[in-house]
Amino acid sequence: MEESNILTEKDGPVATITLNRPKALNALSSALMNELADALEGFDADDGIRCVVLTGNERVFAAGGDIKQMSDSTAADMVKRESPSPWRRVAKTRKPVVAAVSGFALGGGCELALACDMIVASESAQFGQPEIDLGIIPGAGGTQRLTHAIGKARAMEMVLTGRRVEAKEAFEMGMVTKVVPAESYLEEAKELARTVASKAPLAAQLAKDAVLKAYDGTLDAGLDYERRNFLVLFSTDDKEEGMAAFKEKRAPNFEGK
Ligand code: HXC
């Protein structure tokens, strides 16, 4: 039997989901994203669960969308995988979700952390949107949630240069809730989840709902717009070149085609 792309466990009112593709640095394949969306919907429906922790491993939270899968995908393939988009399903989780991030959170990995409600980052965490180096752009909220979190000037720099930021800088920019010692990031995230889980559950869900409404009207339209631009780039030569270069472990040669 194939190993599951995610692992789940329950400890009282707190559920933990662990991304489980360590050899591929937890690359977010469509199979993994669908399993993640299923698990979150399952916990939403489970009255015993009040808060969810989402984590990876010490080396990596997630290194992004699965480049090997995307490199063979046309815009049409990508559209077919969208009905409904597991990313949208993940973002619709009603119960609070805490991301526990250690190591790399890049591309879709950074976007997944930003789609959670709070981020507890290990000192070792590194966040970035390196899609530009593949000839594409963020496609799951990186141009939208990141901009809401850190403002246009700094989001532009991250998205246009692909520069990675370390946990301390990410905290100072307002991307993460707190930075904690490397050895305790998961326990600290669970402790935060237990605190949330000790509150009135309906109040917690509606508090989350209301905080998200602070920018939701523009966020929904922005996510759709971002997704369209992301999909358009799947018909360019530069996307083929950028992803081939990653697989061949060489620098890309972009020609603007
Ligand atoms: C598929 C990946 C991967 C990815 C790493 N791997 N990232 N496979 N998709 N996103 C694979 C590598 O090919 C390699 O496989 C193995 O994982 C170990 O990676 P290394 O590169 O050897 O590790 P290291 O040198 O430590 O470098 C770590 C790294 C680097 C800096 C994180 O792997 C990296 O730059 N990864 C890509 C990051 C990225 O560009 N993310 C954005 C993706 S686009 P082999 O078989 O060689 O051992 C995106 C858009 C999402 O996220 C849109 C939302 C839908």
Side-chain angles (χ1 to χ4, degrees):
M1 216 178 97
E2 254 183 57
E3 214 175 336
S4 175
N5 289 306
I6 61 166
L7 305 173
T8 61
E9 75 179 63
K10 294 195 227 177
D11 182 9
V14 173
T16 300
I17 303 177
T18 304
L19 305 174
N20 185 40
R21 294 187 72 204
K23 284 194 196 121
L25 303 193
N26 289 338
L28 303 166
S29 62
S30 50
L32 183 152
M33 287 306 302
N34 281 312
E35 285 174 42
L36 177 60
D38 289 346
L40 285 167
E41 283 172 4
F43 290 135
D44 251 355
D46 181 342
D47 284 342
I49 296 300
R50 295 183 174 190
C51 190
V52 180
V53 173
L54 175 61
T55 195
N57 57 53
E58 277 168 32
R59 182 179 177 203
V60 63
F61 177 70
D66 189 327
I67 299 169
K68 290 166 188 168
Q69 183 179 46
M70 288 188 292
S71 70
D72 297 329
S73 301
T74 62
D77 296 328
M78 299 294 286
V79 171
K80 276 189 219 152
R81 286 192 204 123
E82 305 249 310
S83 48
S85 160
W87 288 92
R88 281 305 185 105
R89 290 171 60 209
V90 165
K92 287 200 185 315
T93 308
R94 293 193 311 275
K95 291 179 184 169
V97 182
V98 180
V101 177
S102 176
F104 300 114
L106 302 180
C110 187
E111 296 174 293
L112 183 58
L114 287 166
C116 296
D117 304 308
M118 291 183 274
I119 301 177
V120 175
S122 153
E123 285 161 343
S124 75
Q126 291 190 34
F127 299 85
Q129 299 290 165
E131 288 89 343
I132 194 90
D133 294 326
L134 298 167
I136 58 167
I137 64 168
T143 66
Q144 304 298 304
R145 291 192 185 94
L146 184 66
T147 308
H148 282 293
I150 67 176
K152 175 198 154 194
R154 289 174 295 195
M156 275 294 182
E157 192 228 351
M158 285 184 72
V159 169
L160 287 176
T161 69
R163 181 175 76 86
R164 287 185 216 152
V165 301
E166 301 203 342
K168 187 168 168 288
E169 186 180 355
F171 174 74
E172 283 159 5
M173 293 195 300
M175 260 177 96
V176 311
T177 308
K178 59 178 168 175
V179 182
V180 300
E183 58 278 9
S184 60
Y185 76 98
L186 185 54
E187 193 37 50
E188 292 260 6
K190 288 183 178 176
E191 186 54 37
L192 182 57
R194 281 192 289 272
T195 301
V196 174
S198 71
K199 309 296 179 189
L202 291 177
Q205 283 181 42
L206 291 183
K208 165 176 174 161
D209 182 57
V211 171
L212 290 177
K213 269 286 175 287
Y215 56 87
D216 224 22
T218 51
L219 181 63
D220 257 6
L223 288 171
D224 284 342
Y225 200 85
E226 174 195 73
R227 195 70 189 171
R228 270 161 215 277
N229 284 357
F230 173 77
L231 292 173
V232 162
L233 289 164
F234 273 72
S235 60
T236 64
D237 290 350
D238 282 352
K239 171 257 166 188
E240 300 301 323
E241 166 62 10
M243 295 199 178
F246 176 80
K247 290 200 292 187
E248 291 157 21
K249 302 186 193 283
R250 61 173 172 82
N253 177 23
F254 294 127
E255 295 189 332
K257 287 197 274 185

